[in-house]
Amino acid sequence: MKTDRRKVVLIGTGMVGMSYAYSMLNQNTCDELVLIDLDRRRAEGEAMDLNHGLAFSGSHMRIYAGAYADCRDADVVAICAGVAQKPGETRLNLLKRNKEVFRSIVGPVTESGFNGIFLVATNPVDVMTRVTYELSGFNARRVLGTGTALDTARLRYLLGEYLHVDPRNIHAYVMGEHGDSEFVPWSQAMIATRPIRDIVEETENPVQMEELDRISEEVRGAAYRIIEAKHATYYGIGMAMTRITKAILGDENSVLTVSALLCGEYGQNGVFAGAPCIINQDGVQRVLKLTLSEEELQKLDQSCGILREHYQGLE
Ligand code: NAD
């Protein structure tokens, strides 16, 4: 991968895609940003709008509405395109329609000669990442989804509020499906190097396990509550995508909970699910193997079982 001129192609310039683009512009994440959408005029309008903000940013980014041929020399192709659920439509039917959307995207991207990293945000993200992997024929390490990156950020924020600790000093992860079966392995949650569970067990400690469970419940339901209030979620996921993109373009070896293909880790095989991974310019350098308890392994197994079922429903 070339790191001299960092190039990102964004496919799907809706709310999520443009939150990602806006956040990348403000954080000077890449040098060239190409916008692609089924609605070409929308992509053009978005490119104009962002370009008019360039003078106020610290970035020299080249931004334009492009075509699939522009993926040829890109470092990252990010997919945020998707169709919305119709009233009364089943989840499986939505999945089937999104698979068709991805067929119309991933084929032209790979035909362009693209040789970088796929980053997928479209929901259900773990299944759509697996669809991208299957359609592209890429090495699994070069196909990743946003997974539980956003859920993990929400968890760290809420724990920080509850424990009165800077979220950056809280090391805790959400694992499994980005969805209802996700879970927090509390055995692996730390403030600095101190296990949060030890703090809970201290006598006369105001930190309660019930409160921690309430927090994990709040993380699981966060998207529902935001959607109830404002119909969609996009800023948080846009920033999570920017963080992952920076880790790739900067060859950072950062730990992020992306959706990656599990190949024996945690006893799981052939499924894309959220797990802490080391991310660098090659994509998923490796999946980190945390020492989960038996109960946590069972939760992950259940979550992966659900993801397998969803994928098999598509076949
Ligand atoms: P949106 O409707 O605003 O945007 C979708 C865009 O995709 C539209 O601009 C549309 O024209 C485009 N599109 C549709 N079919 C296309 C095709 N074949 N080729 C190119 N472009 C195409 O939706 P949004 O709010 O931006 O959400 C996008 C996706 O992100 C949804 O699937 C949503 O569920 C998901 N999402 C994921 C997370 C996460 O944590 N992973 C969080 C929030 C939203």
Side-chain angles (χ1 to χ4, degrees):
M1 185 181 81
K2 299 176 301 350
T3 47
D4 50 335
R5 193 179 54 91
R6 305 160 299 169
K7 180 173 179 180
V8 174
V9 177
L10 158 59
I11 301 166
T13 58
M15 296 309 291
V16 170
M18 291 318 298
S19 300
Y20 170 52
Y22 183 63
S23 140
M24 280 202 293
L25 174 58
N26 283 303
Q27 296 186 41
N28 198 9
T29 307
C30 60
D31 302 300
E32 189 171 346
L33 174 62
V34 185
L35 307 181
I36 298 179
D37 199 284
L38 198 56
D39 182 349
R40 167 89 193 177
R41 279 199 71 205
R42 179 172 187 165
E44 285 171 354
E46 294 290 5
M48 282 173 73
D49 202 358
L50 285 186
N51 276 322
H52 299 167
L54 264 179
F56 307 114
S57 80
S59 168
H60 300 284
M61 202 183 279
R62 188 172 163 236
I63 307 166
Y64 56 96
Y68 284 105
D70 293 307
C71 298
R72 190 184 58 81
D73 58 350
D75 299 303
V76 174
V77 165
I79 311 180
C80 307
V83 284
Q85 198 155 5
K86 292 178 184 164
E89 184 178 31
T90 62
R91 191 188 170 95
L92 184 59
N93 207 50
L94 174 71
L95 244 176
K96 285 184 174 160
R97 288 200 298 132
N98 266 334
K99 185 173 180 184
E100 287 318 305
V101 168
F102 270 46
R103 216 185 274 286
S104 75
I105 292 172
V106 177
V109 172
T110 51
E111 282 157 22
S112 74
F114 173 61
N115 192 29
I117 313 291
F118 274 106
L119 171 60
V120 179
T122 305
N123 273 325
V125 68
D126 305 286
V127 179
M128 296 317 298
T129 308
R130 182 164 172 189
V131 165
T132 306
Y133 163 66
E134 301 286 353
L135 290 174
S136 66
F138 271 35
N139 183 304
R141 292 300 174 234
R142 294 204 283 127
V143 183
L144 53 127
T146 50
T148 45
L150 176 58
D151 317 71
T152 293
R154 285 172 174 153
L155 174 70
R156 292 171 68 194
Y157 160 71
L158 289 171
L159 281 176
E161 290 281 292
Y162 176 55
L163 300 166
H164 301 287
V165 173
D166 185 335
R168 289 173 300 182
N169 297 121
I170 291 176
H171 305 285
Y173 302 101
V174 178
M175 290 181 67
E177 175 196 16
H178 167 62
D180 296 341
S181 68
E182 67 184 33
F183 71 101
V184 178
W186 287 115
S187 70
Q188 303 300 306
M190 313 271 174
I191 297 178
T193 59
R194 185 95 208 275
I196 288 180
R197 272 210 167 145
D198 286 3
I199 299 171
V200 172
E201 279 162 18
E202 278 169 1
T203 48
E204 293 175 25
N205 196 306
V207 178
Q208 305 285 326
M209 199 58 220
E210 297 76 51
E211 277 301 296
L212 299 184
D213 288 335
R214 180 193 59 73
I215 286 171
S216 61
E217 218 26 74
E218 203 173 325
V219 169
R220 196 174 301 117
Y224 293 114
R225 280 193 310 286
I226 297 172
I227 288 167
E228 262 172 40
K230 53 175 268 190
H231 311 298
T233 81
Y234 33 89
Y235 298 131
I237 184 61
M239 292 178 76
M241 291 179 74
T242 300
R243 179 68 196 91
I244 297 167
T245 305
K246 278 185 157 181
I248 296 169
L249 297 176
D251 196 22
E252 286 183 9
N253 289 315
S254 291
V255 177
L256 294 162
T257 38
V258 297
S259 189
L261 181 68
L262 299 181
C263 303
E265 296 89 355
Y266 307 105
Q268 301 298 326
N269 270 300
V271 65
F272 277 77
C277 296
I278 310 244
I279 306 298
N280 66 16
Q281 65 177 1
D282 300 321
V284 178
Q285 195 265 336
R286 67 180 189 277
V287 178
L288 270 188
K289 282 183 269 179
L290 304 180
T291 315
L292 300 189
S293 68
E294 267 312 308
E295 193 194 344
E296 290 162 352
L297 283 170
Q298 273 173 20
K299 283 184 183 169
L300 185 63
D301 188 53
Q302 192 200 357
S303 193
C304 289
I306 289 168
L307 289 171
R308 277 192 198 91
E309 261 174 45
H310 288 167
Y311 185 82
Q312 277 151 14
L314 271 177
E315 296 283 88

